[in-house]
Amino acid sequence: MSQSETLVSLANLKKYFPLTGGVFRKIIGMVHAVDDVSLDIYRGETLGVVGESGCGKTTLGRTILRLLEPTDGTITFMGQDITHLKGSDLRNIRHEMQIVFQDPMASLDPRVTIKNTVGEPLLINGIARGPKLRAMVLDLLQKVGLTEDHLNRFPHEFSGGQRQRICIARALALNPKFVVMDEPTSSTDVSVQAQTLNLMKDLQDEFGLTYMFISHNLSVVKHMSDRLAVMYLGKIVELTPYDIFRKALHPYTFALVSAVPVPDPRFSGRAVLLKGEVPSPINPPIGCRFNPRCIFAQEICRTDEPPLRDVGDGHLVACHFAGELDFGKSSQMEYAQTAEAEAS
Amino acid sequence: MSSSEDLVLSVKGLTTNFYTYEGIVKALDSVELSLRRGDTMGIVGETGCGKSVTAKCILRLIEPPGRIDGGQILFSDRDPKTGETNEIDILQLAPEEMLTIRGNKIAIVFQDPATYPNPVFRIGAQIAEVVSLHQDLGREVLEIRIRELEDSVKNSSSAEHQAKVREQIEHYVSMLENPPKPDKKYARKAAWAKAVDMLRLVRMPSPEQVANQYPHELSGGMRQRALIAMALACNPSILICDEATTALDVTVQAQVLNLLNELKKDIGASIMIITHDLGVVAETCNWVMVMYAGTTVESTSTKELFEHPVHPYTIGLITAIPKLHENKERLDQIQGTVPNLINPPTGCRFHPRCAFATEICSRERPSLEEVRPGHYVACHNPQGNV
């Protein structure tokens, strides 16, 4: 990971969705999906993004790619401010950034063959046509582990894992620098998931890609990422280069980690640390957004919003008491230490 | 497996096929399963391995083009009062007789809490419907009437009225042992009260209010809890959770799993958890069965399975999960994909993907055998210490 070169830089990025109601569809509120996110993504790294559903991780990914118009803030991509780009300028920059969606069946046109699906970006951008296009498509398909027989088939003829490979091939067609992976394996089985994750790591090395890897599965994100951002109600609460299963400084991160089922019966029966559910992002809590569910909440947490501050080595935490809280030991941590001791 | 154990459910040689235009999908092929009373059992496997089909067979919910073509599903029904057990083969029951078991003795919670409850009825009404369908509410109705009369005694000042009401109360108390069929108005009231009780049992905050709400007003976790309440409303002997926590966030999943663990102590039901997540199994189950392509491949206690997995497929499944403690560049993967069940592989259905396959594997189907005490595996070349 080269710390020096920043590929994507976000400054105070906000995305609000208006909420309408009444006879005249007046705006009656705002859903604060992404609220004041500042972040740098370095070239060649994988930035993982985790959080519960509705925390804004998908919206963040789509806003970076300008698939959604940001409400406020700036997005800088390869040193260029792309927040307000339009027309051909935007199209040109879009070569460099792609996305792989969660549900591969929904993101492939059922009436278009694989050859045309994967070839479409090449054709539209005038990169190749005719026999050359076919050769390029075949090359892409072979890179993701599909063969020539698959060229003229339709999406329904493939299994879930293969469909996801097709989506990955399509995303890589224009040789992008930055790919957002939006829950790419959440609809697949563990054995297929392992194949897809391995493939994505291989492709990252081969094409020199930078990934933003969005998922709600903590062990998958941890496996894939160099750095990890934990989101809660539209905000980044912790951004860490460390393994969150071992070192978590925000109480939310720790609670999230301790909810992951441990695949070892010796460490079952943990306490549930998170009571209740995520509050509505329409009227987020005042002060620290996590304060109603936080067992360590103090008076200051209910009034002042903690800034995301650096506690050393690029480890950013948005908590008034970062580093001062004693969470105890999670069963996940005990499991990891025991498994490690047994392995060595 | 041994018959001396107190089994609440025992499935033998269950075979189910789906007759489609493309051919016969051999969804289940001689599935063996036994569930001890009070146990929590996990059924693990990938998509299409027949976990959900097994659950649906147990409840006789297989619809055409599917058909159960063989085997036995023995359900041992224990009378809570007398303690007598009565063994029934579910596959031999008439459809009307099945109605007294489905939802009553054996209940199920499905995967998607968003589509399963009826959106146009209140939560309380949907739970009350289950209660009034399966339970004779005579006793509950009498109790409600006695309580009402007792209130009226407290509030009345005339001694004559009080004496009259007391007489009525005594009359009702004498009927408690052998309650008559309740009238509709009171039965509805009793069923609603029971629905609120069930919501309280699943730790729903303000159950009276939730009973009056519609499904869309609840969050996913609360909806799943309401569905568990509905399934538990008739004190079933077996509760089947078909991927009940798959659609939930980890934090909510942890709450629901904890609830199941707590309820197990309260209700005394045997629980069957169908999942593809081995972590969920490790957290909640004491027995686990691994399925692959419509067959049982391994069945043992959870502890044994994680310490000494024997079947190559189980080993592959365990190593394919990203581990919390490892910093591996690559995950171990099982090669290939799940076979098409219209033309399943001959012999052992796992052999085309198996690294340890020998010549016999493609020829002969392995039977489920006990390789270690309490550890059953269907494999010609079991791995690990056996």
Side-chain angles (χ1 to χ4, degrees):
Chain A
M1 177 177 36
S2 66
Q3 284 282 350
S4 51
E5 205 177 348
T6 306
L7 187 71
V8 181
S9 174
L10 310 177
N12 308 94
L13 190 68
K14 287 179 188 157
K15 176 66 196 172
Y16 296 168
F17 293 102
L19 199 68
T20 56
V23 186
F24 300 107
R25 317 301 299 158
K26 267 199 304 195
I27 293 173
I28 53 169
M30 284 288 185
V31 177
H32 301 232
V34 173
D35 206 355
D36 206 358
V37 167
S38 300
L39 183 73
D40 287 334
I41 302 173
Y42 304 114
R43 194 183 286 272
E45 76 164 347
T46 302
L47 177 78
V49 180
V50 276
E52 290 173 276
S53 46
C55 72
K57 44 191 198 305
T58 297
T59 308
L60 177 66
R62 293 187 183 188
T63 312
I64 294 176
L65 299 186
R66 290 281 315 276
L67 295 174
L68 293 168
E69 282 306 308
T71 309
D72 197 12
T74 53
I75 309 162
T76 315
F77 182 71
M78 294 167 70
Q80 185 187 358
D81 183 350
I82 62 161
T83 326
H84 302 291
L85 281 189
K86 280 198 178 70
S88 60
D89 292 341
L90 182 61
R91 258 201 307 283
N92 286 336
I93 206 80
R94 281 219 169 120
H95 290 188
E96 307 291 346
M97 39 197 217
Q98 294 289 332
I99 183 163
V100 175
F101 294 102
Q102 172 169 7
D103 183 355
M105 195 59 203
S107 54
L108 291 171
D109 189 330
R111 297 191 292 182
V112 178
T113 59
I114 297 320
K115 188 180 127 216
N116 291 344
T117 297
V118 177
E120 196 176 8
L122 296 167
L123 200 63
I124 287 178
N125 288 286
I127 291 170
R129 54 196 295 189
K132 195 183 163 209
L133 177 70
R134 190 191 136 91
M136 282 181 82
V137 169
L138 184 59
D139 185 41
L140 280 164
L141 287 182
Q142 279 165 349
K143 288 223 164 79
V144 298
L146 297 171
T147 62
E148 198 169 357
D149 309 344
H150 294 124
L151 273 178
N152 289 313
R153 292 202 199 165
F154 290 93
H156 72 264
E157 297 174 74
F158 293 91
S159 68
Q162 286 174 319
R163 275 184 218 135
Q164 199 56 279
R165 285 158 187 261
I166 296 164
C167 292
I168 293 172
R170 176 176 61 182
L172 298 183
L174 291 173
N175 208 356
K177 294 207 169 47
F178 178 57
V179 182
V180 173
M181 298 281 184
D182 189 1
E183 308 248 13
T185 61
S186 65
S187 56
T188 52
D189 284 311
V190 274
S191 73
V192 179
Q193 170 176 295
Q195 293 172 2
T196 313
L197 296 179
N198 283 342
L199 172 72
M200 289 194 289
K201 282 209 159 183
D202 293 345
L203 291 172
Q204 181 169 32
D205 294 342
E206 191 176 340
F207 290 87
L209 297 168
T210 304
Y211 285 150
M212 176 165 166
F213 193 93
I214 301 169
S215 180
H216 63 265
N217 186 331
L218 276 107
S219 37
V220 168
V221 168
K222 188 228 134 189
H223 172 75
M224 290 297 288
S225 314
D226 300 312
R227 286 191 308 148
L228 197 58
V230 182
M231 281 188 81
Y232 185 76
L233 272 184
K235 290 213 174 255
I236 289 178
V237 295
E238 185 157 0
L239 181 68
T240 169
Y242 298 108
D243 177 355
I244 55 166
F245 286 102
R246 285 157 210 254
K247 188 175 179 185
L249 290 185
H250 197 282
Y252 177 67
T253 313
F254 183 77
L256 201 61
V257 163
S258 68
V260 177
V262 180
D264 190 325
R266 287 176 296 174
F267 300 96
S268 61
R270 67 259 136 80
V272 172
L273 293 175
L274 268 188
K275 301 274 191 297
E277 273 146 26
V278 185
S280 155
I282 300 165
N283 286 312
I286 297 163
C288 172
R289 294 194 170 183
F290 185 57
N291 85 68
R293 298 172 83 191
C294 181
I295 45 172
F296 302 103
Q298 307 270 334
E299 202 43 52
I300 184 172
C301 304
R302 294 186 191 95
T303 51
D304 292 4
E305 191 162 342
L308 195 63
R309 61 196 166 95
D310 198 331
V311 293
D313 300 333
H315 188 165
L316 305 168
V317 188
C319 177
H320 291 298
F321 304 101
E324 298 165 27
L325 302 170
D326 180 20
F327 301 131
K329 228 175 188 185
S330 65
S331 47
Q332 283 72 13
M333 218 187 280
E334 280 173 35
Y335 163 66
Q337 283 169 357
T338 315
E340 207 168 53
E342 278 170 7
S344 65
Chain B
M1 298 160 210
S2 71
S3 55
S4 58
E5 289 170 286
D6 185 12
L7 298 180
V8 62
L9 187 80
S10 141
V11 174
K12 289 174 185 155
L14 182 65
T15 302
T16 302
N17 295 321
F18 286 81
Y19 296 85
T20 63
Y21 288 118
E22 284 88 41
I24 305 167
V25 180
K26 297 161 194 89
L28 295 185
D29 187 9
S30 309
V31 168
E32 306 280 332
L33 180 162
S34 35
L35 177 63
R36 279 188 304 247
R37 208 175 291 280
D39 259 14
T40 304
M41 177 183 185
I43 301 185
V44 218
E46 293 175 274
T47 316
C49 74
K51 319 182 285 280
S52 295
V53 175
T54 308
K56 285 185 174 168
C57 286
I58 293 169
L59 288 160
R60 289 269 301 275
L61 285 171
I62 296 290
E63 284 176 6
R67 201 168 72 200
I68 300 170
D69 283 338
Q72 280 182 312
I73 300 176
L74 300 172
F75 171 55
S76 121
D77 183 17
R78 181 188 273 173
D79 194 299
K81 284 184 196 124
T82 59
E84 279 172 27
T85 53
N86 172 21
E87 197 156 84
I88 315 167
D89 186 350
I90 284 178
L91 296 181
Q92 304 300 326
L93 292 180
E96 310 82 65
E97 292 174 303
M98 198 58 220
L99 292 180
T100 62
I101 295 198
R102 190 189 298 130
N104 187 22
K105 305 262 172 64
I106 306 179
I108 187 163
V109 180
F110 289 105
Q111 171 169 7
D112 188 355
T115 55
Y116 174 43
N118 192 330
V120 300
F121 290 104
R122 294 176 197 277
I123 293 289
Q126 296 191 48
I127 302 175
E129 187 190 1
V130 181
V131 175
S132 48
L133 229 124
H134 290 296
Q135 286 185 344
D136 171 37
L137 293 163
R139 196 188 161 88
E140 284 82 357
V141 166
L142 280 179
E143 279 166 357
I144 289 184
R145 300 192 88 158
I146 291 169
R147 221 175 300 137
E148 279 180 7
L149 291 173
E150 275 169 353
D151 285 349
S152 87
V153 168
K154 271 181 217 150
N155 297 334
S156 119
S157 50
S158 115
E160 193 187 335
H161 178 69
Q162 282 188 355
K164 209 170 147 194
V165 174
R166 286 229 170 80
E167 202 175 299
Q168 183 70 23
I169 292 178
E170 269 161 39
H171 174 60
Y172 281 153
V173 171
S174 69
M175 291 199 315
L176 269 179
E177 279 310 301
N178 226 337
K181 211 171 154 44
D183 73 64
K184 267 196 182 147
K185 181 187 152 206
Y186 279 99
R188 211 176 296 147
K189 225 174 181 177
W192 189 273
K194 175 98 191 186
V196 175
D197 281 349
M198 291 320 296
L199 289 174
R200 194 171 294 126
L201 179 76
V202 298
R203 325 277 193 271
M204 193 75 95
S206 53
E208 287 87 1
Q209 194 194 330
V210 171
N212 266 312
Q213 283 177 323
Y214 289 95
H216 75 265
E217 295 176 77
L218 305 182
S219 66
M222 276 165 90
R223 239 181 265 158
Q224 199 58 284
R225 251 184 264 186
L227 293 176
I228 292 172
M230 199 185 292
L232 294 178
C234 296
N235 302 323
S237 306
I238 303 175
L239 174 68
I240 303 175
C241 297
D242 186 0
E243 303 266 13
T245 58
T246 307
L248 307 174
D249 272 319
V250 272
T251 52
V252 183
Q253 166 173 295
Q255 293 173 10
V256 173
L257 292 181
N258 248 37
L259 173 72
L260 281 177
N261 275 341
E262 284 171 36
L263 288 178
K264 194 162 67 178
K265 292 170 206 145
D266 301 352
I267 57 174
S270 312
I271 302 179
M272 195 186 267
I273 291 180
I274 295 174
T275 179
H276 62 263
D277 188 343
L278 282 165
V280 170
V281 169
E283 294 273 343
T284 50
C285 304
N286 50 8
W287 193 271
V288 55
M289 173 173 124
V290 183
M291 288 186 74
Y292 180 77
T295 56
T296 308
V297 297
E298 189 157 1
S299 174
T300 182
S301 70
T302 310
K303 196 166 169 286
E304 175 80 8
L305 186 90
F306 283 94
E307 279 172 14
H308 306 285
V310 164
H311 197 283
Y313 176 64
T314 316
I315 297 170
L317 215 52
I318 293 175
T319 49
I321 327 172
K323 299 288 178 319
L324 311 181
H325 60 281
E326 288 170 350
N327 282 318
K328 252 196 218 167
E329 231 350 79
R330 293 178 65 84
L331 293 168
D332 297 321
Q333 59 186 45
I334 306 175
Q335 293 301 329
T337 51
V338 181
N340 182 344
L341 293 182
I342 292 174
N343 284 312
T346 53
C348 172
R349 287 188 173 184
F350 185 60
H351 85 263
R353 296 174 77 186
C354 183
F356 307 99
T358 51
E359 182 266 334
I360 188 172
C361 299
S362 61
R363 199 155 35 80
E364 204 174 297
R365 191 186 150 166
S367 59
L368 204 61
E369 272 163 34
E370 190 166 5
V371 289
R372 288 158 63 95
H375 194 150
Y376 302 85
V377 178
C379 183
H380 292 300
N381 304 309
Q383 303 300 309
N385 353 318
V386 290

